[in-house]
Amino acid sequence: MSTEISKYIDALTQYVEVEGIKYAYRSLGKQSGTPLLCLQHFTGTLDNWDPIIINGLAGERPVITIDNAGIGNSGGTTPDNVQDMAKTAIKIISALGIKKCDMLGYSLGGFIAQTIAATKPDLLRKIMLVGTAPQGTKALHSFPQLVEKAFQQEGIEVYLYIFATKSEKSRSLVTATFMRLMERKEDRDKDTGMPSIQAQISALTRWGTDTVTIKLSDIKQPVMIVQGSNDEMMDSDTSLQLFKQIPNALLFYYPDSAHGSFFQYPEMFVKEAGRFLDYFE
Amino acid sequence: MSTEISKYIDALTQYVEVEGIKYAYRSLGKQSGTPLLCLQHFTGTLDNWDPIIINGLAGERPVITIDNAGIGNSGGTTPDNVQDMAKTAIKIISALGIKKCDMLGYSLGGFIAQTIAATKPDLLRKIMLVGTAPQGTKALHSFPQLVEKAFQQEGIEVYLYIFATKSEKSRSLVTATFMRLMERKEDRDKDTGMPSIQAQISALTRWGTDTVTIKLSDIKQPVMIVQGSNDEMMDSDTSLQLFKQIPNALLFYYPDSAHGSFFQYPEMFVKEAGRFLDYFE
């Protein structure tokens, strides 16, 4: 990349090859400084990042969004467990020539970020965990039922069922985010297919039922945790558990919000993330 | 006040009379905009506000610190209950000619702020609650014992016992705050005397044992809650309870910190408070 791209909508999808498989990613922002790698939520592709958030973060640092195996335009098969997703993410980041990065893990992406922090800590400088939960979170035992209910909704209601609360304010803010996700018309990612969705459902559910192997108290990096007041999927209270176990963590709860916490307050999140990434030790 | 005072150290102690009693306060900052009224912690006087925080806040708004009855250079007798402290605070604010203000309630000051929100809501535009707890907080049942242990320490250790965790980082950050509190040499407040301390101990303990009369779910104002990870006095988890009950609240937890959460991260707090006061709806 020779010219600086400041807006996510202008960042063309690129590909990086790992072990014969091509993975999709987009890159933008400042060309110097620690890059921020963004790991996406359940079913989400490169097109599910709020452009206000990505553009805001890219104003001060390189930002790279990636599709894991079998997601969007990435090749490969989506694994049914977080550990293999983390291994793939590490390989993609390495293939991009990155030795050290910051990481934004959203939801399922937050599980992957926690796993990378435990298995390859030298890769990470700072970590942001949004709308996520620790291993062993009981609320995830009923994740398949929650998804089934969401998929019974129609149109944007599928999205609102997970990402918004029932209040008009929350629904309207998350609807605005959804509209921003639709602004990109060209070079869009493929929607996530049913086999990948099924594999992700297994991975998310297992995160709740597997034996806890990650020792959060060993995480040496500064960690910023963001959660909504009413995230049924992750159980909002589990973010306080993450905070209590990670030695050097900041925790932010946003009001009247579900799984789409930072989608409701994108400018505030950008400011908090910027301060965390640039100043917090 | 005709000239703008930008630093707390330059804000001379002034007095306002209510029902024949003179109350001490200091005023600084911008001369336009909604004033921010600051209510202090147990035993704290006008000299217990971190100048980094007061100066930072005053850069964007009028800031007024007040001594409640019987505290510092204020006249009157310190009440043994929060409700009467709130009544006095309301009278002082009214005597200052203020019809509507923002409020920063720290610790005991946070109890008073919650009480004002419930009894005179029209006075408040936005509320910041730092290191505080809702009515009925069980941890406060043992407040007298906690204070006794603190007062058995010597010198700065009395302060660190309450405001810092046991870690070197926390102790060193809170010690730095304590040194900043000592920078002011002239026009200092009187230390709080033992009768007032005893009355405050009763008030704090009662806040934990009294019947809950304040309906937090009725608070209409935006509220920003800040707490340390390990505030034994207030029980850090009770800030999550405040957050869950107040409809439009932001909650921030700071790492490795006790009752002096925002004293450890004064610049971060100033930025978060500024954004909350100026932009959060």
Side-chain angles (χ1 to χ4, degrees):
Chain A
M1 195 173 65
S2 55
T3 318
E4 192 172 302
I5 298 163
S6 64
K7 292 196 180 309
Y8 195 46
I9 201 166
D10 297 323
L12 295 180
T13 306
Q14 303 180 70
Y15 295 89
V16 60
E17 196 168 318
V18 176
E19 298 167 1
I21 297 171
K22 284 184 177 170
Y23 293 96
Y25 73 97
R26 294 181 193 147
S27 172
L28 71 159
K30 286 244 182 303
Q31 293 185 49
S32 61
T34 305
L36 174 66
L37 266 283
C38 303
L39 306 182
Q40 189 57 287
H41 65 71
F42 170 63
T43 75
T45 69
L46 300 180
D47 294 327
N48 286 84
W49 290 107
D50 187 337
I52 294 183
I53 291 173
I54 297 296
N55 297 345
L57 294 169
E60 300 297 333
R61 68 205 77 251
V63 173
I64 299 168
T65 58
I66 64 175
D67 275 333
N68 213 306
I71 304 298
N73 288 321
S74 279
T77 305
T78 302
D80 64 359
N81 64 86
V82 172
Q83 292 70 29
D84 285 340
M85 293 174 180
K87 283 177 192 160
T88 304
I90 291 168
K91 285 179 191 168
I92 295 171
I93 293 166
S94 171
L96 289 167
I98 293 165
K99 303 265 181 295
K100 192 134 206 151
C101 64
D102 294 332
M103 185 162 279
L104 165 57
Y106 180 25
S107 183
L108 172 60
F111 303 167
I112 299 172
Q114 291 174 62
T115 306
I116 295 175
T119 56
K120 198 171 168 60
D122 291 348
L123 182 61
L124 303 180
R125 190 186 71 114
K126 296 187 180 184
I127 306 164
M128 296 192 286
L129 301 174
V130 179
T132 194
Q135 269 183 316
T137 289
K138 285 199 180 131
L140 291 166
H141 298 185
S142 49
F143 182 72
Q145 290 76 38
L146 181 73
V147 171
E148 197 184 336
K149 276 192 225 158
F151 285 175
Q152 284 164 2
Q153 314 297 312
E154 294 201 356
I156 194 176
E157 293 296 333
V158 178
Y159 194 77
L160 294 176
Y161 190 86
I162 298 287
F163 289 93
T165 71
K166 303 298 177 204
S167 84
E168 270 316 303
K169 184 176 177 185
S170 175
R171 286 172 56 84
S172 129
L173 289 168
V174 173
T175 300
T177 306
F178 187 81
M179 300 312 287
R180 291 193 292 274
L181 300 182
M182 298 296 134
E183 281 168 10
R184 185 183 184 111
K185 304 294 179 196
E186 312 275 316
D187 184 38
R188 283 186 70 88
D189 226 346
K190 268 191 281 198
D191 283 347
T192 302
M194 199 44 76
S196 290
I197 291 177
Q198 292 295 358
Q200 285 188 329
I201 291 175
S202 296
L204 276 144
T205 311
R206 280 186 179 173
W207 186 258
T209 56
D210 268 0
T211 310
V212 176
T213 53
I214 294 175
K215 214 174 158 196
L216 294 167
S217 58
D218 283 346
I219 294 181
K220 298 283 184 293
Q221 289 88 350
V223 176
M224 171 174 152
I225 304 164
V226 176
Q227 181 55 297
S229 57
N230 297 79
D231 183 351
E232 183 185 345
M233 183 194 295
M234 296 294 167
D235 176 2
S236 293
D237 287 7
T238 65
S239 279
L240 185 61
Q241 295 170 27
L242 282 172
F243 170 75
K244 286 183 174 182
Q245 292 176 71
I246 299 172
N248 193 19
L250 284 169
L251 172 60
F252 305 84
Y253 275 108
Y254 293 168
D256 186 16
S257 49
H259 199 52
S261 57
F262 70 161
F263 286 164
Q264 293 189 201
Y265 300 94
E267 292 91 353
M268 185 166 68
F269 174 79
V270 166
K271 288 222 160 67
E272 281 160 354
R275 198 170 47 246
F276 168 74
L277 294 172
D278 291 335
Y279 300 109
F280 189 79
E281 297 299 325
Chain B
M1 194 173 66
S2 56
T3 317
E4 192 172 303
I5 297 163
S6 64
K7 294 200 180 306
Y8 195 47
I9 201 165
D10 298 323
L12 296 180
T13 306
Q14 302 179 70
Y15 294 89
V16 60
E17 194 168 319
V18 177
E19 297 166 3
I21 297 170
K22 285 185 178 171
Y23 293 96
Y25 73 97
R26 294 183 193 147
S27 171
L28 72 160
K30 287 244 182 302
Q31 293 185 50
S32 61
T34 306
L36 174 66
L37 265 285
C38 304
L39 307 182
Q40 189 56 287
H41 64 72
F42 169 63
T43 75
T45 68
L46 301 180
D47 294 326
N48 286 85
W49 290 107
D50 187 337
I52 294 183
I53 290 173
I54 298 295
N55 297 345
L57 294 169
E60 301 296 332
R61 70 204 76 252
V63 173
I64 299 168
T65 58
I66 64 176
D67 274 332
N68 213 307
I71 304 297
N73 288 321
S74 278
T77 305
T78 302
D80 64 359
N81 64 87
V82 172
Q83 292 70 30
D84 286 339
M85 293 175 182
K87 283 177 192 160
T88 304
I90 291 167
K91 286 177 192 169
I92 296 171
I93 294 166
S94 172
L96 289 167
I98 293 166
K99 301 265 182 296
K100 191 135 206 152
C101 63
D102 295 332
M103 187 162 278
L104 165 57
Y106 180 25
S107 184
L108 171 60
F111 303 166
I112 299 171
Q114 291 173 62
T115 306
I116 295 175
T119 55
K120 197 170 169 59
D122 291 349
L123 182 61
L124 303 179
R125 191 186 70 114
K126 297 187 180 184
I127 305 163
M128 297 192 284
L129 301 174
V130 179
T132 195
Q135 270 183 314
T137 288
K138 285 199 180 128
L140 291 165
H141 298 187
S142 49
F143 182 73
Q145 291 75 36
L146 181 72
V147 171
E148 197 185 337
K149 275 190 224 159
F151 284 176
Q152 284 165 2
Q153 313 297 312
E154 295 201 356
I156 194 175
E157 293 298 330
V158 178
Y159 194 77
L160 294 176
Y161 191 85
I162 299 287
F163 290 92
T165 71
K166 303 297 176 206
S167 83
E168 271 316 302
K169 185 176 176 183
S170 175
R171 286 172 55 85
S172 129
L173 289 167
V174 173
T175 299
T177 306
F178 187 81
M179 299 313 286
R180 290 193 293 273
L181 300 183
M182 298 298 134
E183 282 169 10
R184 184 183 184 111
K185 305 292 178 196
E186 312 276 317
D187 184 38
R188 284 187 69 90
D189 227 346
K190 269 192 281 198
D191 282 349
T192 302
M194 199 44 76
S196 291
I197 291 177
Q198 291 295 355
Q200 285 188 328
I201 290 174
S202 295
L204 276 144
T205 310
R206 280 185 178 173
W207 186 256
T209 55
D210 269 0
T211 311
V212 176
T213 53
I214 295 176
K215 215 174 157 196
L216 294 167
S217 58
D218 282 346
I219 294 181
K220 298 283 183 293
Q221 290 87 350
V223 176
M224 172 173 153
I225 304 163
V226 176
Q227 181 54 297
S229 57
N230 296 80
D231 184 352
E232 183 185 345
M233 183 194 296
M234 296 294 168
D235 176 3
S236 293
D237 287 8
T238 64
S239 279
L240 186 61
Q241 295 169 28
L242 283 172
F243 170 75
K244 285 183 175 182
Q245 292 176 72
I246 300 172
N248 192 19
L250 284 170
L251 172 59
F252 304 84
Y253 274 109
Y254 293 168
D256 185 17
S257 47
H259 199 52
S261 56
F262 70 161
F263 286 164
Q264 294 189 199
Y265 300 95
E267 292 92 353
M268 184 165 70
F269 175 79
V270 166
K271 288 223 158 67
E272 281 159 356
R275 198 170 47 247
F276 168 74
L277 294 172
D278 291 335
Y279 301 107
F280 190 78
E281 297 298 325

PDB file of all heavy atoms in Angstrom, chain B residues 250-263:
ATOM      1  N   LEU B 250     -23.505   5.681  32.294  1.00  0.00           N
ATOM      2  CA  LEU B 250     -22.245   5.125  31.810  1.00  0.00           C
ATOM      3  C   LEU B 250     -21.477   4.635  33.026  1.00  0.00           C
ATOM      4  O   LEU B 250     -21.497   5.291  34.062  1.00  0.00           O
ATOM      5  CB  LEU B 250     -21.403   6.213  31.146  1.00  0.00           C
ATOM      6  CG  LEU B 250     -21.783   6.671  29.756  1.00  0.00           C
ATOM      7  CD1 LEU B 250     -20.963   7.911  29.404  1.00  0.00           C
ATOM      8  CD2 LEU B 250     -21.525   5.566  28.747  1.00  0.00           C
ATOM      9  N   LEU B 251     -20.801   3.511  32.888  1.00  0.00           N
ATOM     10  CA  LEU B 251     -20.022   2.989  34.018  1.00  0.00           C
ATOM     11  C   LEU B 251     -18.575   2.757  33.582  1.00  0.00           C
ATOM     12  O   LEU B 251     -18.332   2.148  32.536  1.00  0.00           O
ATOM     13  CB  LEU B 251     -20.629   1.669  34.503  1.00  0.00           C
ATOM     14  CG  LEU B 251     -19.848   0.874  35.548  1.00  0.00           C
ATOM     15  CD1 LEU B 251     -19.619   1.673  36.829  1.00  0.00           C
ATOM     16  CD2 LEU B 251     -20.578  -0.434  35.874  1.00  0.00           C
ATOM     17  N   PHE B 252     -17.640   3.287  34.350  1.00  0.00           N
ATOM     18  CA  PHE B 252     -16.215   3.092  34.079  1.00  0.00           C
ATOM     19  C   PHE B 252     -15.560   2.472  35.295  1.00  0.00           C
ATOM     20  O   PHE B 252     -15.672   3.018  36.395  1.00  0.00           O
ATOM     21  CB  PHE B 252     -15.504   4.434  33.827  1.00  0.00           C
ATOM     22  CG  PHE B 252     -16.090   5.255  32.725  1.00  0.00           C
ATOM     23  CD1 PHE B 252     -17.168   6.092  32.957  1.00  0.00           C
ATOM     24  CD2 PHE B 252     -15.554   5.233  31.454  1.00  0.00           C
ATOM     25  CE1 PHE B 252     -17.706   6.873  31.952  1.00  0.00           C
ATOM     26  CE2 PHE B 252     -16.088   6.009  30.433  1.00  0.00           C
ATOM     27  CZ  PHE B 252     -17.162   6.834  30.677  1.00  0.00           C
ATOM     28  N   TYR B 253     -14.856   1.369  35.096  1.00  0.00           N
ATOM     29  CA  TYR B 253     -14.035   0.794  36.161  1.00  0.00           C
ATOM     30  C   TYR B 253     -12.565   0.996  35.798  1.00  0.00           C
ATOM     31  O   TYR B 253     -12.165   0.713  34.667  1.00  0.00           O
ATOM     32  CB  TYR B 253     -14.291  -0.705  36.299  1.00  0.00           C
ATOM     33  CG  TYR B 253     -15.453  -1.092  37.186  1.00  0.00           C
ATOM     34  CD1 TYR B 253     -16.616  -1.609  36.644  1.00  0.00           C
ATOM     35  CD2 TYR B 253     -15.364  -0.985  38.564  1.00  0.00           C
ATOM     36  CE1 TYR B 253     -17.684  -1.997  37.456  1.00  0.00           C
ATOM     37  CE2 TYR B 253     -16.421  -1.373  39.381  1.00  0.00           C
ATOM     38  CZ  TYR B 253     -17.579  -1.884  38.824  1.00  0.00           C
ATOM     39  OH  TYR B 253     -18.619  -2.266  39.628  1.00  0.00           O
ATOM     40  N   TYR B 254     -11.787   1.470  36.777  1.00  0.00           N
ATOM     41  CA  TYR B 254     -10.351   1.656  36.575  1.00  0.00           C
ATOM     42  C   TYR B 254      -9.582   0.518  37.234  1.00  0.00           C
ATOM     43  O   TYR B 254     -10.015  -0.002  38.272  1.00  0.00           O
ATOM     44  CB  TYR B 254      -9.910   2.997  37.177  1.00  0.00           C
ATOM     45  CG  TYR B 254     -10.455   4.224  36.486  1.00  0.00           C
ATOM     46  CD1 TYR B 254     -10.340   5.475  37.080  1.00  0.00           C
ATOM     47  CD2 TYR B 254     -11.087   4.146  35.247  1.00  0.00           C
ATOM     48  CE1 TYR B 254     -10.830   6.626  36.460  1.00  0.00           C
ATOM     49  CE2 TYR B 254     -11.582   5.294  34.633  1.00  0.00           C
ATOM     50  CZ  TYR B 254     -11.460   6.526  35.238  1.00  0.00           C
ATOM     51  OH  TYR B 254     -11.943   7.657  34.639  1.00  0.00           O
ATOM     52  N   PRO B 255      -8.437   0.157  36.682  1.00  0.00           N
ATOM     53  CA  PRO B 255      -7.712  -1.023  37.171  1.00  0.00           C
ATOM     54  C   PRO B 255      -6.953  -0.762  38.470  1.00  0.00           C
ATOM     55  O   PRO B 255      -6.577   0.376  38.766  1.00  0.00           O
ATOM     56  CB  PRO B 255      -6.736  -1.327  36.043  1.00  0.00           C
ATOM     57  CG  PRO B 255      -6.527  -0.033  35.354  1.00  0.00           C
ATOM     58  CD  PRO B 255      -7.796   0.758  35.516  1.00  0.00           C
ATOM     59  N   ASP B 256      -6.720  -1.841  39.190  1.00  0.00           N
ATOM     60  CA  ASP B 256      -5.829  -1.852  40.358  1.00  0.00           C
ATOM     61  C   ASP B 256      -5.971  -0.576  41.192  1.00  0.00           C
ATOM     62  O   ASP B 256      -5.005   0.137  41.438  1.00  0.00           O
ATOM     63  CB  ASP B 256      -4.378  -2.025  39.885  1.00  0.00           C
ATOM     64  CG  ASP B 256      -3.402  -2.176  41.060  1.00  0.00           C
ATOM     65  OD1 ASP B 256      -3.857  -2.460  42.185  1.00  0.00           O
ATOM     66  OD2 ASP B 256      -2.190  -1.986  40.834  1.00  0.00           O
ATOM     67  N   SER B 257      -7.203  -0.292  41.590  1.00  0.00           N
ATOM     68  CA  SER B 257      -7.427   0.935  42.348  1.00  0.00           C
ATOM     69  C   SER B 257      -8.493   0.687  43.403  1.00  0.00           C
ATOM     70  O   SER B 257      -9.370  -0.163  43.238  1.00  0.00           O
ATOM     71  CB  SER B 257      -7.842   2.087  41.426  1.00  0.00           C
ATOM     72  OG  SER B 257      -8.857   1.684  40.525  1.00  0.00           O
ATOM     73  N   ALA B 258      -8.407   1.430  44.487  1.00  0.00           N
ATOM     74  CA  ALA B 258      -9.359   1.299  45.595  1.00  0.00           C
ATOM     75  C   ALA B 258     -10.267   2.524  45.600  1.00  0.00           C
ATOM     76  O   ALA B 258     -10.794   2.885  44.548  1.00  0.00           O
ATOM     77  CB  ALA B 258      -8.600   1.127  46.906  1.00  0.00           C
ATOM     78  N   HIS B 259     -10.403   3.182  46.749  1.00  0.00           N
ATOM     79  CA  HIS B 259     -11.332   4.303  46.839  1.00  0.00           C
ATOM     80  C   HIS B 259     -10.837   5.534  46.060  1.00  0.00           C
ATOM     81  O   HIS B 259     -11.597   6.457  45.796  1.00  0.00           O
ATOM     82  CB  HIS B 259     -11.546   4.646  48.318  1.00  0.00           C
ATOM     83  CG  HIS B 259     -12.777   5.447  48.582  1.00  0.00           C
ATOM     84  ND1 HIS B 259     -14.015   5.066  48.127  1.00  0.00           N
ATOM     85  CD2 HIS B 259     -12.969   6.620  49.256  1.00  0.00           C
ATOM     86  CE1 HIS B 259     -14.908   5.966  48.499  1.00  0.00           C
ATOM     87  NE2 HIS B 259     -14.310   6.915  49.176  1.00  0.00           N
ATOM     88  N   GLY B 260      -9.572   5.537  45.689  1.00  0.00           N
ATOM     89  CA  GLY B 260      -9.009   6.691  44.979  1.00  0.00           C
ATOM     90  C   GLY B 260      -8.944   6.518  43.473  1.00  0.00           C
ATOM     91  O   GLY B 260      -8.056   7.068  42.813  1.00  0.00           O
ATOM     92  N   SER B 261      -9.908   5.774  42.918  1.00  0.00           N
ATOM     93  CA  SER B 261      -9.879   5.443  41.483  1.00  0.00           C
ATOM     94  C   SER B 261      -9.456   6.612  40.597  1.00  0.00           C
ATOM     95  O   SER B 261      -8.448   6.538  39.887  1.00  0.00           O
ATOM     96  CB  SER B 261     -11.258   4.958  41.045  1.00  0.00           C
ATOM     97  OG  SER B 261     -12.248   5.955  41.350  1.00  0.00           O
ATOM     98  N   PHE B 262     -10.196   7.691  40.621  1.00  0.00           N
ATOM     99  CA  PHE B 262      -9.908   8.779  39.669  1.00  0.00           C
ATOM    100  C   PHE B 262      -8.676   9.587  40.068  1.00  0.00           C
ATOM    101  O   PHE B 262      -8.159  10.343  39.239  1.00  0.00           O
ATOM    102  CB  PHE B 262     -11.131   9.661  39.395  1.00  0.00           C
ATOM    103  CG  PHE B 262     -11.618  10.556  40.512  1.00  0.00           C
ATOM    104  CD1 PHE B 262     -12.445  11.629  40.206  1.00  0.00           C
ATOM    105  CD2 PHE B 262     -11.289  10.337  41.831  1.00  0.00           C
ATOM    106  CE1 PHE B 262     -12.926  12.466  41.202  1.00  0.00           C
ATOM    107  CE2 PHE B 262     -11.767  11.158  42.844  1.00  0.00           C
ATOM    108  CZ  PHE B 262     -12.577  12.229  42.532  1.00  0.00           C
ATOM    109  N   PHE B 263      -8.201   9.420  41.308  1.00  0.00           N
ATOM    110  CA  PHE B 263      -6.942  10.042  41.697  1.00  0.00           C
ATOM    111  C   PHE B 263      -5.760   9.360  40.994  1.00  0.00           C
ATOM    112  O   PHE B 263      -4.698   9.954  40.836  1.00  0.00           O
ATOM    113  CB  PHE B 263      -6.736   9.946  43.208  1.00  0.00           C
ATOM    114  CG  PHE B 263      -7.604  10.878  44.007  1.00  0.00           C
ATOM    115  CD1 PHE B 263      -7.775  10.683  45.373  1.00  0.00           C
ATOM    116  CD2 PHE B 263      -8.253  11.951  43.418  1.00  0.00           C
ATOM    117  CE1 PHE B 263      -8.561  11.547  46.129  1.00  0.00           C
ATOM    118  CE2 PHE B 263      -9.051  12.818  44.160  1.00  0.00           C
ATOM    119  CZ  PHE B 263      -9.202  12.615  45.526  1.00  0.00           C
TER     120      PHE B 263
END
